[in-house]
Amino acid sequence: MDAETFLLCLSEGLEPWEAVAARARLSVDRARLFARALGEAGYPVLLEESGVGLAPDSLAPQHVLPRLRGRFGRPYRYLGTVTSTQDVLRAWHEAPEGALVVAEHQTRGRGRLGRPWLSSPGNLCFSLLLRRPQPPLLPLRVGVALAQAAGFGLLKWPNDLLSPDGRKLGGILIECEGGRTFVGVGVNVVQAPLPTAAALKEFRAVNRVDLLVAFLSLLEEWLAPPSSVVLQAWQEWDGTLGREVRVHTPTGVVEGVAEAINQEGALLVRTNAGRKSVRVGEVVLPPPPNVVEAQEGQGQAQGRGASEG
Ligand code: BTN
């Protein structure tokens, strides 16, 4: 047995060491060693003199796999601390479509446009593998699935999930390599890692396992419909269209009113110089009141900080 197999013998909450050791067919001393190793690897293990177990709302396979409704999420790799779930999935060469990497902590989580992604304990960080030709509007499809799974929030083009007051609740990073697409999702479930971000828990009771399994089955469904249906669904969660925006693009800043999203997923902005189509960029909405200035280089910032670039 190794520590990751021992993890499968743990339940949520404390159980006496003797009970867990018997289930794992180990001595209590050996069970203590494995439990300590799991804690050191970043898993949320409760370790007390009286017993051992997993912290509540655990993403351990024994709690997630029985709840999966579709094909996405299998095979499932649940890890403690990693650099980035995107890196782990990319290095997992033989992984099939639907493979999922979930981690409790990322030391080098990344966001769109080269920004870092910060996360706090208890939040959700995962990467899903697609091995199919990318459907059109993939970022929007993923955004709709996330908003529906959360059942809350507004989408900022192309796929950020925001709270009604404009703070970031979740982000999506889509990377591709040789026919593989890595869909990375980060959601602030219990804690906002920055003053300019928000956590879902501020607004509604939320459980990571519910959110994860709902997202996976919704995304599987949302990969099929035609673009027109996706655009319509996106608009139901839209927090961008009709608003004054500043969009930082690789070729400069576009300012005006966000009017529409076209069939290619580009944002159409009415500017003083006419209508411009933006394919890649970061939208900055007018900062909501009481939003503290964003910190330099934080991937989650929504205010007037460096993340706008
Ligand atoms: C963004 O808003 O810019 C996208 C953020 C994406 C963060 C997730 S967390 C899981 C996955 N691993 C990463 O390093 N990034 C994505």
Side-chain angles (χ1 to χ4, degrees):
M1 168 170 303
D2 58 11
E4 284 179 23
T5 313
F6 177 72
L7 178 92
L8 302 176
C9 301
L10 298 178
S11 308
E12 275 186 17
L14 288 177
E15 278 187 296
W17 282 101
E18 291 72 18
V20 175
R23 189 180 306 134
R25 297 171 192 272
L26 294 172
S27 67
V28 167
D29 282 350
R30 199 122 176 87
R32 282 184 200 276
L33 281 180
F34 280 133
R36 256 202 304 279
L38 287 173
E40 280 159 15
Y43 291 96
V45 175
L46 307 172
L47 262 166
E48 303 284 341
E49 233 352 89
S50 59
V52 61
L54 289 165
D57 197 16
S58 159
L59 294 164
Q62 59 269 39
H63 298 130
V64 175
L65 291 176
R67 302 268 318 272
L68 292 176
R69 300 197 285 265
R71 289 185 316 135
F72 286 3
R74 284 176 226 272
Y76 181 83
R77 281 182 86 176
Y78 173 54
L79 301 168
T81 303
V82 299
T83 54
S84 154
T85 54
Q86 296 286 96
D87 295 340
V88 176
L89 188 55
R90 197 180 277 255
W92 187 5
H93 293 283
E94 68 283 9
E97 161 130 328
L100 191 73
V101 174
V102 177
E104 291 288 346
H105 309 279
Q106 297 186 120
T107 54
R108 283 207 299 279
R110 56 181 178 270
R112 289 175 63 237
L113 309 171
R115 293 167 311 182
W117 177 263
L118 305 178
S119 188
S120 307
N123 288 346
L124 194 52
C125 294
F126 62 88
S127 297
L128 171 76
L129 181 66
L130 300 181
R131 278 187 185 269
R132 61 173 83 187
Q134 263 201 30
L137 307 183
L138 180 60
L140 304 188
R141 291 172 196 268
V142 182
V144 169
L146 183 60
Q148 288 186 339
F152 182 80
L154 295 171
L155 287 172
K156 185 182 76 150
W157 181 89
N159 54 15
D160 283 348
L161 186 66
L162 304 185
S163 58
D165 58 4
R167 291 176 293 147
K168 190 145 167 171
L169 288 166
I172 293 161
L173 173 69
I174 298 179
E175 298 175 319
C176 308
E177 186 186 86
R180 297 186 299 161
T181 302
F182 312 103
V183 178
V185 179
V187 184
N188 302 328
V189 176
V190 292
Q191 209 178 325
L194 289 170
T196 49
L200 268 176
K201 196 181 152 206
E202 292 172 42
F203 303 95
R204 61 190 299 256
V206 56
N207 170 289
R208 293 192 299 177
V209 179
D210 291 346
L211 185 57
L212 179 63
V213 300
F215 170 80
L216 293 170
S217 75
L218 283 162
L219 181 60
E220 206 166 341
E221 287 170 20
W222 274 112
L223 292 182
S227 295
S228 57
V229 175
V230 175
L231 286 170
Q232 207 177 343
W234 197 92
Q235 284 189 27
E236 284 167 31
W237 295 93
D238 163 59
T240 310
L241 300 179
R243 299 187 65 180
E244 289 278 349
V245 293
R246 186 159 6 112
V247 195
H248 292 256
T249 79
T251 52
V253 176
V254 175
E255 277 183 310
V257 175
E259 281 194 330
I261 296 170
N262 71 14
Q263 292 283 322
E264 281 77 51
L267 184 67
L268 306 179
V269 182
R270 180 162 40 82
T271 73
N272 289 336
R275 206 182 213 201
K276 294 207 169 149
S277 152
V278 180
R279 285 166 54 84
V280 179
E282 175 69 10
V283 169
V284 181
L285 298 168
N290 308 324
V291 170
V292 183
E293 283 292 304
Q295 290 171 29
E296 193 77 11
Q298 300 288 344
Q300 307 223 27
Q302 284 299 307
R304 285 165 290 178
S307 72
E308 294 173 2

